[in-house]
Amino acid sequence: MGPLGFQELLLITAVVLLVFGPKRLPEVARTLGRCLSLLREATDDVKETFTREVKEIETLPPPPLPPKKTLPDPASPSDAKERS
């Protein structure tokens, strides 16, 4: 789906004129512009917050690794003494 061509824009303009009329068209365009501006501000805010949080997470030190559990060696002499 590519960008809108001249014919598509002309058709959309004609439908908007028929639906809203020429008197209300500036008001509708102004309201649409405000909505798009608010949407852009909101998405920029979300992007900024996401970027800030990712940078904060990247600066945290890594969590400590759990201690390794080692199994006793059955051939070691110290185990033989403990078993008897």
Side-chain angles (χ1 to χ4, degrees):
M1 199 171 191
L4 294 176
F6 179 72
Q7 293 176 344
E8 289 89 357
L9 288 175
L10 191 61
L11 178 65
I12 291 170
T13 305
V15 170
V16 169
L17 274 172
L18 287 173
V19 171
F20 294 109
K23 291 182 181 179
R24 287 198 51 209
L25 188 60
E27 180 185 338
V28 170
R30 201 171 13 256
T31 303
L32 182 62
R34 286 182 191 143
C35 289
L36 289 175
S37 175
L38 288 173
L39 180 66
R40 184 177 297 131
E41 288 176 14
T43 56
D44 288 345
D45 185 42
V46 169
K47 286 179 188 178
E48 182 180 312
T49 302
F50 181 76
T51 304
R52 186 175 356 108
E53 292 295 325
V54 167
K55 285 181 181 179
E56 184 178 319
I57 289 172
E58 288 175 348
T59 59
L60 292 176
L65 296 174
K68 276 189 166 181
K69 293 183 179 178
T70 57
L71 297 175
D73 187 13
S76 74
S78 62
D79 290 339
K81 291 178 186 176
E82 291 175 8
R83 289 184 190 165
S84 34

